[in-house]
Amino acid sequence: MLLGVAVLSLILSLPLFVTSIIMIRGLRREHESRLRPWLIVMTVFTSFRVLMYVFWSVLNDMMFSYHITMLVLWLLITAINMFCLLVVYSNYQDLSDITRLEDMAKLKMGTLSSLHTHASLHSMHSIHSTHSPSPKGSLGSAA
């Protein structure tokens, strides 16, 4: 039974390894969408490991110091995993907020540039409509 749990843990660790590589590339380029798969896989993996520790502690006798020491060490490693999960999730939220702000700034700049273009076209049209077509211009009318 413990061998089956160990094999299942190994199978779950392979997607975690692949998504870790994807996450590292995403962190270098600051793409929050590449952090999302790691967050999902790490949450599933950590939840599975906690359930496995509960199962392992029930199955093994907790009278022996070896079993107690191993359980404490694995729970400590799981706590470190949870801390890393929270750090990456915090970074994911920061990158999502930055991306949202950049998108809003691009939209605002696009709107302002289109308004500026529209206003300059409108002012140029009004300049051309108020310009007198006579060759004398304003000097000829003053005399």
Side-chain angles (χ1 to χ4, degrees):
M1 187 65 157
L2 286 176
L3 183 64
V5 172
V7 169
L8 188 59
S9 179
L10 179 68
I11 291 171
L12 280 175
S13 67
L14 294 176
L16 184 62
F17 179 73
V18 171
T19 56
S20 294
I21 293 171
I22 294 170
M23 179 192 67
I24 290 171
R25 289 184 177 177
L27 283 172
R28 285 184 184 159
R29 296 185 182 137
E30 295 183 351
H31 293 286
E32 77 277 358
S33 61
R34 293 190 177 193
L35 275 65
R36 198 175 305 132
W38 185 87
L39 288 169
I40 293 168
V41 171
M42 186 64 169
T43 302
V44 170
F45 184 75
T46 304
S47 301
F48 171 75
R49 295 292 290 200
V50 167
L51 291 174
M52 188 181 75
Y53 299 146
V54 169
F55 174 72
W56 185 75
S57 66
V58 169
L59 192 61
N60 289 325
D61 293 329
M62 286 294 131
M63 297 184 313
F64 301 110
S65 63
Y66 169 77
H67 295 297
I68 294 171
T69 304
M70 290 305 295
L71 180 64
V72 169
L73 285 175
W74 283 115
L75 288 177
L76 181 65
I77 291 172
T78 302
I80 293 170
N81 280 343
M82 288 182 187
F83 176 74
C84 292
L85 183 66
L86 290 174
V87 168
V88 172
Y89 182 68
S90 174
N91 195 355
Y92 171 76
Q93 286 181 329
D94 289 343
L95 288 175
S96 295
D97 291 342
I98 289 170
T99 302
R100 191 175 317 118
L101 287 173
E102 286 175 348
D103 291 343
M104 287 174 47
K106 286 178 186 175
L107 179 66
K108 192 172 189 177
M109 292 303 291
T111 305
L112 288 176
S113 67
S114 67
L115 286 176
H116 178 68
T117 305
H118 178 70
S120 65
L121 286 176
H122 180 67
S123 65
M124 288 185 71
H125 176 68
S126 63
I127 289 172
H128 289 299
S129 64
T130 59
H131 182 43
S132 81
S134 70
K136 296 179 185 176
S138 62
L139 293 175
S141 62

